[in-house]
Amino acid sequence: MFQNIKEDTIEINRKYTSSQERKLNRLSNVFAKENLLLYLVSFMLSFVSLNGEFSIFSISMLGACLASSVPALGVVIISLIGNFIKFGVGGALGYFLTALIMVVTLLILKPRYNEEQRNEKIKIGKNVWIATLFIQIVKFAIAGFTLYDILASVTLSIIALVFYKIFVNSLVVVQEFYQERAFSIEEIIGASLLLAIAVGGLGNFNILGFSICNILSILIVMILGWKNGILVGTTAGVTIGVTLGVISGSEPIMIAAYAISGMIAGVLNRFGKIGVVIGFTLGNVVLAYVSNGYTVELIHFKEILIASIGLLAVPKTLHIDLEEFVGNSKFLPMAPNRALNKSKEMAQSLNHVSEAIQEMATSYRTVESEFLGIGTDSEENKKIFIGELLNNLEPYKENMLYDDVADTEGKILDEIFQFLLDKQEITNQDLLKIFANCNSYIVGLDDKNISQYLETNISQMVRTINLSYKVSKSNFIWRKKVEENKRNIGKQLDGVCQAIQSMAKDLEQDFETEEQYTKEKTKILEFMKQKNMEIEDISILKTGRFIIEVYANEMLDIDTIKQIEQILTKVLKESIVFNEEASIGKRINFLSDDKYVMAIGQAETIKSKSDTSGDSLLNIRLKDGKYLVAISDGMGSGKEAKQSSTQALRLLENLLLSGFDKKVSLNLINTALINQDTEIFATLDIAIIDLYAGNIEFIKSGACPTYIKNKKRVQMIKSNSLPTGILAENSIQTFDKDIVSGDILLMCSDGILDSNIEYKNKELWVKYMLEDIETNNTQKISDLILKEAIDNHYGVAKDDMSILTCKFMKKEDA
């Protein structure tokens, strides 16, 4: 008997001890270190609100914690404190009551359970929705409501449900960030959205003028692009751009800024952190040029610099793996250790970015169409004037002329507006004449007592009318400028969209072309292996000529590069040469050898008594092996002209080297110049020379004729288009010509043509002189024509003058 009592006592003690341990475990889980980051994020989320009452995101976070079996007590306490600090007692009470209703609904409406391995272990989305909506309904029952209030409350409840779904798949990243495990793409992107909203809680908080919210947002995009490449970098950029736009009300173009910066950062992640920093900065600079000619930074460079320092401080051991729980198989398929820039996935991601930017361009076009739908400029100006006048007349309702002037349907107001359009200002006598013309006569001016009263009323009305017209005119001009800028941004975004679509299409074609040369690729790799070359992979493309990229495991010396040239020439049965300009580090570029050679000579001088030439010259080789030579002449002379011509050619170079289509590039340059605060115009005279195919494409925008000489015959290629930056719809003219061995091409700025005063048609003197010149040396030809142009004005340079001369010869004739 005593033995049984002893055993029962031991069992009771064991159960009591187990119960105490469970309580201690629950308490210790609340304060576990892996939850500290979660509490910090929850605290920052509690500062972000959509309705100004309390943080709806805090409710979504609480629901996510309950659904994920994450200790919710700490989240409730932290969120309660945050709502109290940000929104006061009302905010804390709103959050507490909503959380309480959610818990009550869990007891009434039993939630369904998911599989254990799912992030959402308990389905409580309906409880989140009901709790949020219930509190709003109670508030309306007390204070009254409108139809708008009902719709806003339903929308708010849906938002709480949507973000609950996002957060429930994001908590695992926040909690297990430092553990050796892989995360799905949904988890990574959801976590970036969660962090972006949390960072948005900082609002306008800044240190030394730098926005902490912006810096942390940039850092998140950089880290994700650094660790996971273009797809995640782009998606994170879009996600964070949209989030910041919703929370802070920033312009839609900021979404494109983060998206493109994240995309280029992801592309360059193969070069490590430095590549990511350069990529993000380059994306911001390119879009700033496209949207406003880089007159205004989209993302402040100093904030990017601070975020870059933060990125450099992140340890290399940090891992954010996108592996779907199966060994080390990557979420995105990769060619042997090559970046995704040759894969179908990259083409798809570029198309997605293109679609997003297209949507933004559409929104700008919608604004434009709404604006244009109002009517003519005069009607819109009149509408603004009437609105301003009625506001200013409000204090003068006792004025004897008020009823006539304030009659918006009457003839008097229309006559006043038409008079102001012509004369810009109205006088007392003018107003009296308008009244008389409309059969409304003002009598009593002869009586001194009455006259003084009338004069006071008339003068008061005249002052109000003149003031209203001046203000309305300023408002109209400002509004027109805003709408013009929006139209330009819409066109620029269209151009970027077309460029990205073109790049995606080229990538898809490149992928298909590579597959056509699988046998040749295998044979080349085998030959390289026999030569003991450490080659990782090669790609073979053929767009007219062969373009081959070799990915080496180490830096290659000149002898090895020569051996690769021989192997490629042997297998592809075409002369292949090393392309040093397109080779970077261990990525070595080769292409089909040119069939023609080109010699270039140039000469230029500055206008007399001017410090800076307004002309700019460009001579580069493009990625496809073609050569680009160009002259841009800025309108006028000096620094402003130099700025416009330099900007035009720099944009042209960057866009073409980035793979943008020629027509798209020129349209982007045109809208970038139009969008400047000051009037900036520039001519563009471009020749794209293919020495492999033997042809030249001429592109002209307000440029001088191009002269082509073969033996004694000189041909002129002329254009009648206007310079870039004048009209929104720039008329660009293109011409093609096959190269004949011995051709000499000459391009010049208008300073050369205008120097001659003898010929009525000033283009002819250069043509006649070219016919008479005996030498074929391009530098001598340039020097002779420049000297003659200066002599035309008695040894003084009348304007900035520039000449580019090219000579083409077949290799066997050279």
Side-chain angles (χ1 to χ4, degrees), residues 293-356:
Y294 205 61
T295 55
V296 179
E297 294 174 309
L298 297 178
I299 305 174
H300 295 301
F301 179 75
K302 291 180 180 178
E303 293 175 350
I304 296 176
L305 180 61
I306 295 171
S308 302
I309 294 172
L311 176 67
L312 295 175
V314 174
K316 291 185 178 180
T317 53
L318 174 70
H319 290 290
I320 309 175
D321 294 326
L322 285 174
E323 300 173 357
E324 289 290 354
F325 313 107
V326 183
N328 290 321
S329 59
K330 296 292 182 185
F331 179 79
L332 295 173
M334 298 178 71
N337 293 328
R338 272 199 290 151
L340 283 173
N341 58 343
K342 294 295 180 185
S343 69
K344 290 182 178 178
E345 284 76 12
M346 179 179 176
Q348 290 170 358
S349 66
L350 286 173
N351 280 323
H352 292 326
V353 174
S354 173
E355 289 169 8

Side-chain angles (χ1 to χ4, degrees), residues 118-396:
R118 298 286 294 273
N119 290 326
E120 188 183 17
K121 295 176 174 59
I122 309 173
K123 294 185 175 182
I124 63 171
K126 61 180 179 295
N127 304 85
V128 173
W129 185 78
I130 291 170
T132 310
L133 186 61
F134 181 80
I135 292 297
Q136 299 295 315
I137 292 172
V138 171
K139 184 183 72 172
F140 295 152
I142 297 171
F145 62 91
T146 63
L147 179 60
Y148 169 79
D149 293 327
I150 295 174
L151 294 175
S153 298
V154 173
T155 302
L156 197 67
S157 303
I158 293 172
I159 290 172
L161 174 61
V162 169
F163 279 95
Y164 154 75
K165 286 290 186 182
I166 294 172
F167 292 168
V168 80
N169 287 303
S170 309
L171 291 181
V172 63
V173 180
V174 176
Q175 282 198 301
E176 302 180 16
F177 186 72
Y178 288 104
Q179 296 183 17
E180 289 293 329
R181 64 152 290 177
F183 301 108
S184 69
I185 186 68
E186 291 85 1
E187 292 168 345
I188 291 292
I189 298 305
S192 71
L193 181 57
L194 171 62
L195 291 176
I197 297 172
V199 166
L202 295 170
N204 295 324
F205 177 69
N206 61 74
I207 298 176
L208 299 177
F210 301 119
S211 170
I212 303 303
C213 174
N214 290 346
I215 292 170
L216 292 177
S217 299
I218 295 166
L219 182 59
I220 292 170
V221 176
M222 282 184 172
I223 290 175
L224 291 173
W226 168 47
K227 300 308 294 184
N228 294 292
I230 180 173
L231 182 59
V232 175
T234 305
T235 312
V238 172
T239 303
I240 288 177
V242 170
T243 303
L244 292 178
V246 171
I247 293 174
S248 62
S250 57
E251 286 279 346
I253 199 170
M254 290 300 295
I255 303 173
Y258 275 97
I260 292 177
S261 297
M263 178 184 73
I264 300 178
V267 169
L268 299 180
N269 75 329
R270 60 184 298 177
F271 300 108
K273 295 178 184 178
I274 299 298
V276 171
V277 172
I278 293 172
F280 194 96
T281 306
L282 183 61
N284 181 46
V285 170
V286 168
L287 198 61
Y289 267 125
V290 168
S291 63
N292 57 51
Y294 205 61
T295 55
V296 179
E297 294 174 309
L298 297 178
I299 305 174
H300 295 301
F301 179 75
K302 291 180 180 178
E303 293 175 350
I304 296 176
L305 180 61
I306 295 171
S308 302
I309 294 172
L311 176 67
L312 295 175
V314 174
K316 291 185 178 180
T317 53
L318 174 70
H319 290 290
I320 309 175
D321 294 326
L322 285 174
E323 300 173 357
E324 289 290 354
F325 313 107
V326 183
N328 290 321
S329 59
K330 296 292 182 185
F331 179 79
L332 295 173
M334 298 178 71
N337 293 328
R338 272 199 290 151
L340 283 173
N341 58 343
K342 294 295 180 185
S343 69
K344 290 182 178 178
E345 284 76 12
M346 179 179 176
Q348 290 170 358
S349 66
L350 286 173
N351 280 323
H352 292 326
V353 174
S354 173
E355 289 169 8
I357 295 174
Q358 185 67 57
E359 286 298 319
M360 287 184 282
T362 302
S363 71
Y364 279 107
R365 285 198 299 272
T366 302
V367 171
E368 175 188 356
S369 62
E370 289 174 355
F371 175 75
L372 293 176
I374 292 171
T376 63
D377 287 350
S378 178
E379 291 172 354
E380 174 61 10
N381 199 354
K382 182 180 178 181
K383 185 177 178 181
I384 296 172
F385 166 68
I386 291 173
E388 188 66 32
L389 178 61
L390 293 178
N391 287 336
N392 292 335
L393 284 175
E394 198 66 27
Y396 306 121

Side-chain angles (χ1 to χ4, degrees), residues 651-804:
L651 275 170
L652 178 69
E653 179 180 3
N654 290 334
L655 291 170
L656 290 180
L657 288 176
S658 299
F660 281 45
D661 177 73
K662 294 183 287 292
K663 185 175 180 181
V664 171
S665 300
L666 292 168
N667 285 332
L668 287 173
I669 294 168
N670 186 59
T671 49
L673 293 182
I674 287 176
N675 211 28
Q676 304 291 319
D677 292 331
T678 56
E679 291 187 340
I680 295 180
F681 313 131
T683 66
L684 282 173
D685 196 2
I686 302 166
I688 298 176
I689 303 161
D690 189 343
L691 296 179
Y692 175 80
N695 58 54
I696 307 173
E697 180 181 7
F698 300 97
I699 304 172
K700 289 184 173 291
S701 178
C704 296
T706 296
Y707 302 87
I708 299 176
K709 177 181 179 180
N710 192 290
K711 297 180 180 177
K712 287 291 184 180
R713 183 173 176 271
V714 176
Q715 175 188 0
M716 286 196 302
I717 297 176
K718 299 172 66 174
S719 160
N720 57 4
S721 59
L722 291 172
T724 302
I726 293 181
L727 298 179
E729 299 297 331
N730 191 28
S731 56
I732 297 164
Q733 294 182 309
T734 60
F735 311 88
D736 291 303
K737 183 189 181 304
D738 291 332
I739 296 174
V740 176
S741 185
D743 275 350
I744 294 174
L745 176 150
L746 186 140
M747 301 161 63
C748 63
S749 62
D750 62 2
I752 297 293
L753 301 186
D754 294 341
S755 67
N756 187 282
I757 56 175
E758 295 178 5
Y759 288 92
K760 186 175 181 180
N761 186 350
K762 297 184 178 183
E763 303 160 355
L764 293 177
W765 83 265
V766 177
K767 179 178 184 293
Y768 294 152
M769 186 170 181
L770 264 178
E771 290 173 346
D772 294 337
I773 289 176
E774 296 293 336
T775 181
N776 289 330
N777 184 292
T778 54
Q779 188 57 54
K780 287 183 179 179
I781 293 172
S782 299
D783 291 337
L784 285 170
I785 292 179
L786 178 63
K787 184 176 182 301
E788 184 68 20
I790 295 172
D791 289 343
N792 284 338
H793 203 257
Y794 310 105
V796 177
K798 183 181 177 182
D799 194 2
D800 301 321
M801 302 178 182
S802 300
I803 301 173
L804 267 173

